[in-house]
Amino acid sequence: MSAPLVVSIPHRLGREEAVRRLKTGLGRAATSIPVLQVEEAHWTGDSMNFRIRALGQIASGQIEVADDHVRVEVVLPWLLQRFAEMAQATIRKRGQVLLTKDEGK
């Protein structure tokens, strides 16, 4: 098993608002990436466990929301390891958009 890919995304929203934005925005974000399919997503309090399929491979992970940051951990199968840096940058970029954009825009 490979080492997990970990991304920490800072925010100033507070835990409750960050969870709300993630719950409403993650589905839209996933549909904008054609090679990615969310197979399972389950929230328990401020944490979400998920399983995704990308390029025919299954990856799993967890999102943990804190008062000032969101921690995303994904375990990629070895075939997707070569895309780890690109995945990390994409997670960070899309997470920042969800956690910093104004509600009215």
Side-chain angles (χ1 to χ4, degrees), residues 29-103:
T31 59
S32 69
I33 305 172
V35 298
L36 180 71
Q37 178 183 1
V38 178
E39 295 206 334
E40 182 181 326
H42 177 73
W43 282 92
T44 303
D46 300 330
S47 298
M48 181 183 86
N49 291 313
F50 61 89
R51 188 174 62 215
I52 57 174
R53 180 179 299 271
L55 303 172
Q57 301 294 307
I58 299 290
S60 61
Q62 183 175 31
I63 296 174
E64 295 179 18
V65 182
D67 292 333
D68 62 350
H69 71 281
V70 173
R71 183 179 186 274
V72 181
E73 181 176 312
V74 183
V75 177
L76 297 172
W78 69 271
L79 286 174
L80 294 180
Q81 281 295 312
R82 68 184 316 174
F83 301 105
E85 285 184 28
M86 182 174 44
Q88 190 173 30
T90 300
I91 291 167
R92 184 172 283 114
K93 179 180 175 185
R94 293 186 184 263
Q96 284 290 346
V97 169
L98 280 174
L99 296 170
T100 59
K101 70 178 183 177
D102 292 334
E103 276 299 300

Side-chain angles (χ1 to χ4, degrees), residues 3-14:
L5 173 74
V6 178
V7 179
S8 182
I9 305 165
H11 68 81
R12 296 180 185 184
L13 300 171

